[in-house]
Amino acid sequence: MEIRKDMKGSELTVALEGRLDTTTAPQLETELGDLPGVKTLVIDMEKLVYISSAGLRVLLKAQKLMNKQGAMTIKNVSQEIRDIFEVTGFNEILNIE
Amino acid sequence: MFSKLLMKFKSNITLQILTGVLMVFVLLTGLVCVIGYVQFTDAIEDQYADSAYNTARTAAYELTPRFLKLNDPTLREYQMKLIDIKRNWNKLADTQDATFIYLFKAASDDVTNEYSKVTFLVNVANKRTGFPDYSAGYTITQTDSRYLRAFREIYERGSERVEIAVYRPEEKYTSGNHITVMVPVHDHLKNVIGILGVERRMEDLDDVRSLYLRHVLIFSAVFLLIVMSLYGYYLSGKLLSPIQEIASEAMRFARENTRAEIQLADKITDISEIGQLARVIDVMEENIVSYVDNLTRVTREKEQIKAELNVATQIQADMLPRKFPPFPEHDEFDIYASMTPAKEVGGDFYDFFLIDDDHMALVIADVSGKGVPAALFMVIAKTLIKNVAQMGNLSSSEILREVNTRLCENNEADLFVTVWLGILEISSGKIFASNAGHEYPAIKHVNGNFELFKTKQSPAVATMDGMKFREYDFELEAGDVLYLYTDGVAEATNSHDELFGTDRMLNALNKFENESAQEILTEMKLAVDNFTGDAPQFDDITMLCLRYFGKDSGGKKA
């Protein structure tokens, strides 16, 4: 799992690559932290191949945080990941482009 | 015997070092002997040579220019002079311990071009030696290259003094060790007209040299003995006993694995490498002991946690209904469920309970994450769902909405749970259900195949406060089968990283005909296990199966 962060002003773009599962989710959770000073959070999933419930939990946490301090968007979602979002109902919680 | 000695030698460092020192010392002594011997010989030889040279100078005075000029043994005057000279030389030889004093000429040989034709003019032998005098005119051919070289030195290069030392064992040769000094004899024109030689025995040379050797050897031996004993004592104190101390401590430690009563560094205060070794071993022992202590404690704690987890596993298992058939008074359906956690405790759960006489709730759920946090959340979620559902008269969506609100109240860990909740109207086979982010159920209608029942999903429970949940309904006919599962089934992974998948799952389900719910789940678990093989189980595997017989079936399988 590779995480690339790019902060431009108050906009943080996080690009994920690989699998976001039980093993790698804590890594993303640590990387995101409390998202200080972030008004816009963009998560780029172009190279993400899998997401487990532990990964969804980290996204949910970030979404809740961003609901208070700005907005969060998820972009470049592959069909496989989109299916996971749909089955779990996360497409209704997360803002997916 | 020899190899035993060798072993003993090899096992004793002091002995080895001392042997090395001894060898160096013997070598040095040998060197001193050789150098001393050579120097000594040179010095003594020089003394004898000087003495012989002085004798030669004195003897040369007797050779008056007149005598040399006469140079004719037939002349009376020459003969008289010769007798004079011989008498004086005899005295000289006697007082100066010369063996021979002689005057000769050496002429060049036409063939070899060496001064090999020697003619004696005067020859005196010391009376005590018993050698005869050569008479005047006695001629020999000299072949000894050293003499030939000496003659050339004098005749051609103008040497004033030439020495030849000859070493011969006394017991074989009467002449023994001797030295010959030769000086040129000139005429009044300074031409070399002859050579005066004095041969002198070096009678004390052997004695002095052997005395020297004896002294050197005795002194060396005594010195060596003293040095070796002192050095050996020093070594065993400084080297051997500390090493033995370290070795025995290391052996003790290997045996007992405990801290030493007295640290090595306190016994060996040396600052050399041995002292360093001692201190390092102290540190190493300390580290190993505390490491082992630590390991023991951690292991004990781990054991304790494991024991507690075993209890937790049991408690969790006890929370799930495990009595089959659960409701013997209801013969309208056959139900079975199972949960296999990946870790000691899991986040999956199933549940089924009667809300009233005609309604039974069916639940299958999966808490995000695994292990203890998921298990604790699972306990809350399961309890809430059952409590809320049993308040009665609530639809599946209303139940989930209430549960969601309560779970969201305190959810700092941001866990959530996917839930499929269905309420079966036992009499009709109608099911009202809500799917909060859970896997699609598989349904088999009579004479049909198992198929995923896809509906529009609602978000998982506990994700967002105040959410609403969708609801849908379907009907089970007599003989229909409902199969609920968690992602542990669909996402079971083999060692090639392949997923079991819903296709394989449906294929496996469709092989069944009229098997009981329990048989179906047992076989399904086997199918998953066969697929994953040796690969470890990553996720909890939970399944629930309901076969509906209908109100009028009388509980008999159709």
Side-chain angles (χ1 to χ4, degrees), chain B residues 222-237:
Chain B
V222 170
F223 184 73
L224 190 62
L225 200 69
I226 294 169
V227 166
M228 295 289 273
S229 340
L230 287 178
Y231 192 58
Y233 178 74
Y234 170 81
L235 275 183
S236 66

Side-chain angles (χ1 to χ4, degrees), chain B residues 62-126:
Chain B
E62 301 294 330
L63 302 173
T64 56
R66 175 74 187 158
F67 171 77
L68 293 173
K69 200 176 175 185
L70 287 171
N71 192 23
D72 184 355
T74 59
L75 292 176
R76 169 100 183 136
E77 190 187 350
Y78 183 88
Q79 289 167 4
M80 293 299 287
K81 195 77 193 152
L82 192 62
I83 291 168
D84 253 7
I85 293 172
K86 286 185 78 168
R87 192 178 58 240
N88 288 335
W89 280 12
N90 261 322
K91 274 190 212 159
L92 194 63
D94 193 37
T95 53
Q96 296 295 316
D97 278 333
T99 313
F100 293 105
I101 302 176
Y102 51 88
L103 176 68
F104 65 93
K105 283 178 180 174
S108 183
D109 181 289
D110 294 338
V111 183
T112 59
N113 206 22
E114 296 279 5
Y115 292 92
S116 55
K117 292 190 219 159
V118 173
T119 310
F120 286 92
L121 300 177
V122 186
N123 187 313
V124 169
N126 192 316

Side-chain angles (χ1 to χ4, degrees), chain B residues 484-539:
Chain B
L484 303 173
Y485 56 95
T486 55
D487 57 1
V489 177
E491 291 177 12
T493 310
N494 67 9
S495 53
H496 304 298
D497 260 350
E498 292 167 332
L499 297 182
F500 187 60
T502 45
D503 289 344
R504 278 197 190 82
M505 183 184 82
L506 291 174
N507 281 340
L509 285 170
N510 283 325
K511 285 180 187 144
F512 301 119
E513 288 176 2
N514 292 316
E515 284 82 350
S516 70
Q518 177 171 4
E519 282 164 348
I520 289 174
L521 294 196
T522 308
E523 287 299 314
M524 282 307 288
K525 180 70 172 57
L526 266 179
V528 171
D529 287 347
N530 285 339
F531 176 76
T532 55
D534 294 334
Q537 181 191 342
F538 276 115
D539 209 349

Side-chain angles (χ1 to χ4, degrees), chain B residues 285-303:
Chain B
E285 286 188 2
E286 179 60 36
N287 286 349
I288 291 178
V289 167
S290 48
Y291 178 75
V292 169
D293 284 353
N294 200 20
L295 196 68
T296 312
R297 203 186 61 243
V298 168
T299 311
R300 200 164 42 229
E301 282 170 5
K302 220 173 163 180
E303 289 292 315

Side-chain angles (χ1 to χ4, degrees), chain B residues 192-265:
Chain B
V192 179
I193 55 167
I195 297 175
L196 179 78
V198 174
E199 182 182 318
R200 196 194 193 298
R201 282 190 58 185
M202 300 188 283
E203 62 275 0
D204 292 335
L205 186 69
D206 280 350
D207 288 349
V208 173
R209 287 200 301 198
S210 57
L211 190 70
Y212 166 79
L213 275 188
R214 214 161 38 238
H215 280 172
V216 167
L217 288 177
I218 289 171
F219 177 76
S220 299
V222 170
F223 184 73
L224 190 62
L225 200 69
I226 294 169
V227 166
M228 295 289 273
S229 340
L230 287 178
Y231 192 58
Y233 178 74
Y234 170 81
L235 275 183
S236 66
K238 192 91 174 165
L239 189 69
L240 191 61
S241 58
I243 287 182
Q244 279 171 343
E245 192 92 58
I246 291 173
S248 73
E249 168 57 21
M251 278 188 275
R252 182 203 67 80
F253 185 75
R255 205 169 46 240
E256 299 173 11
N257 266 311
T258 54
R259 285 183 179 82
E261 280 175 29
I262 305 168
Q263 290 217 316
L264 276 177

Side-chain angles (χ1 to χ4, degrees), chain B residues 246-284:
Chain B
I246 291 173
S248 73
E249 168 57 21
M251 278 188 275
R252 182 203 67 80
F253 185 75
R255 205 169 46 240
E256 299 173 11
N257 266 311
T258 54
R259 285 183 179 82
E261 280 175 29
I262 305 168
Q263 290 217 316
L264 276 177
D266 294 337
K267 295 185 203 164
I268 303 163
T269 48
D270 208 309
I271 55 163
S272 69
E273 287 87 342
I274 294 177
Q276 289 176 18
L277 179 64
R279 286 189 291 283
V280 167
I281 286 185
D282 281 341
V283 172
M284 189 192 73

Side-chain angles (χ1 to χ4, degrees), chain B residues 343-413:
Chain B
K343 295 187 173 182
E344 283 82 356
V345 288
D348 278 12
F349 67 92
Y350 64 81
D351 203 2
F352 48 85
F353 49 87
L354 293 175
I355 297 171
D356 55 45
D357 277 351
D358 198 28
H359 292 92
M360 177 169 70
L362 303 167
V363 185
I364 189 148
D366 179 3
V367 176
S368 60
K370 282 188 265 298
V372 174
L376 291 174
F377 199 80
M378 163 261 177
V379 172
I380 304 169
K382 179 185 171 296
T383 311
L384 275 176
I385 291 171
K386 189 167 181 178
N387 286 354
V388 173
Q390 285 186 329
M391 293 192 304
N393 290 326
L394 290 176
S395 69
S396 60
S397 60
E398 287 165 335
I399 294 169
L400 289 186
R401 190 177 173 186
E402 180 59 24
V403 170
N404 180 60
T405 305
R406 295 200 194 177
L407 280 178
C408 281
E409 277 168 14
N410 288 302
N411 187 14
E412 295 301 318

